Amino acid sequence: MNLSEQEIKNFLDKKNHNIKIEIFDTITSTNDYAKNAVWQKQITENSLITANTQTAGRGRFDRKFFSPAQTGIYMTFVIFPEKDVEDILLVTLTAAVAVVRAIKNLTGITVNIKWVNDIFFNDKKIAGILTETVFNTQINKTESVIIGIGLNINTKIFPEELKNIATSLNVRISRNKFIAEITNNFFDLYNNATNEQIITEYKKYLITNRTVIYYIDGEKFKGKIEGINNNGNLIINSNNKHVILNSGEIFFDE
């Protein structure tokens, strides 16, 4: 089924019907479009942008996100926080929990989270989240937050470099319904849950007790994931010392 604003709205909670929805068949990147539209004052309210395919989908560190037509979800939320967002990390955690909830609600499948923004199924990546901000220098605060989500639903064929690290849910569920379910869960958490509640739920799905490689100031280190703290920062046990990561990336040491 093609993406449809009306179909998405049919599955949205009534309290989310005021969210502006834009749908594209082909787009470079939903995040890039959203950021530009905010700058141009074309988007001034909470919005959902989604596309059937992306020609330049990307994740963190400008890595490409494979976005074939009809088989995945490529969506971006634009939110306008009433107060300045102190910790973008918590927005990313919120989105991750929303995706995990949506998958569980619609499929019964329990997936896991690889800190900070990747969703894993059967030890392979099925989704990624990219959170960015638009900063208004005139008022010296974050004007909006852009949250991009890419989720493989029925992608069967991956490029050679992704074959061993990416997979799909492989379920027959309308993408419109999936988009609405993620949207309902995200805004429910964003508007109603405390940071503590989000952290607590995130911990339930976090991949722990795995040896990982990480870098600090370009230097390579190794340690085991113990969990996250109350700020969402990763706790790693490295040579019996606790290392706290609040940014960057970890790599599983297979």
Side-chain angles (χ1 to χ4, degrees), residues 134-197:
V134 176
F135 191 79
N136 189 324
T137 55
Q138 294 180 338
I139 58 177
N140 197 36
K141 66 170 287 189
T142 297
E143 181 173 352
S144 67
V145 181
I146 313 293
I147 307 107
I149 298 170
L151 171 62
N152 301 327
I153 302 293
N154 279 307
T155 306
K156 305 291 186 184
I157 301 174
F158 290 92
E160 192 65 34
E161 65 271 19
L162 298 179
K163 282 183 179 180
N164 296 323
I165 59 176
T167 188
S168 293
L169 286 172
N170 292 320
V171 292
R172 291 188 174 275
I173 295 175
S174 159
R175 287 179 298 148
N176 294 308
K177 189 173 185 178
F178 239 120
I179 290 167
E181 185 69 18
I182 293 171
T183 303
N184 286 334
N185 279 281
F186 175 79
F187 282 99
D188 179 50
L189 288 161
Y190 177 71
N191 291 321
N192 302 311
T194 64
N195 290 348
E196 182 181 6
Q197 289 171 326

Side-chain angles (χ1 to χ4, degrees), residues 49-119:
I49 298 98
T50 186
N52 190 47
T53 186
Q54 298 180 118
T55 59
R58 59 186 176 83
R60 295 175 77 211
F61 310 109
D62 277 333
R63 292 197 183 100
K64 292 181 180 179
F65 189 91
F66 185 51
S67 310
Q70 304 290 343
T71 68
I73 289 172
Y74 321 112
M75 60 189 288
T76 292
F77 296 126
V78 182
I79 57 175
F80 293 83
E82 293 182 4
K83 60 181 181 179
D84 197 17
V85 178
E86 297 178 358
D87 196 342
I88 298 303
L89 177 61
L90 284 168
V91 179
T92 301
L93 268 58
T94 301
V97 172
V99 173
V100 171
R101 276 190 180 185
I103 292 171
K104 181 70 172 178
N105 291 345
L106 293 182
T107 70
I109 295 171
T110 299
V111 294
N112 299 107
I113 302 171
K114 173 180 175 282
W115 189 88
V116 59
N117 66 322
D118 290 337
I119 311 299

Side-chain angles (χ1 to χ4, degrees), residues 14-31:
K14 286 185 179 180
K15 60 188 175 184
N16 292 326
H17 281 190
N18 62 337
I19 296 170
K20 180 182 178 182
I21 299 175
E22 291 189 71
I23 296 176
F24 297 88
D25 181 42
T26 302
I27 200 170
T28 52
S29 158
T30 55
N31 263 36

Side-chain angles (χ1 to χ4, degrees), residues 232-247:
N233 302 321
L234 190 68
I235 304 170
I236 295 177
N237 186 320
S238 183
N239 295 321
N240 294 318
K241 294 181 181 179
H242 281 160
V243 176
I244 308 297
L245 296 184
N246 58 15
S247 63

Side-chain angles (χ1 to χ4, degrees), residues 213-251:
I213 294 168
Y214 60 99
Y215 293 84
I216 297 178
D217 295 330
E219 188 175 354
K220 181 179 177 180
F221 296 92
K222 185 183 290 190
K224 183 170 285 189
I225 301 172
E226 288 199 351
I228 57 174
N229 62 19
N230 292 334
N231 295 317
N233 302 321
L234 190 68
I235 304 170
I236 295 177
N237 186 320
S238 183
N239 295 321
N240 294 318
K241 294 181 181 179
H242 281 160
V243 176
I244 308 297
L245 296 184
N246 58 15
S247 63
E249 187 174 17
I250 59 172
F251 304 89

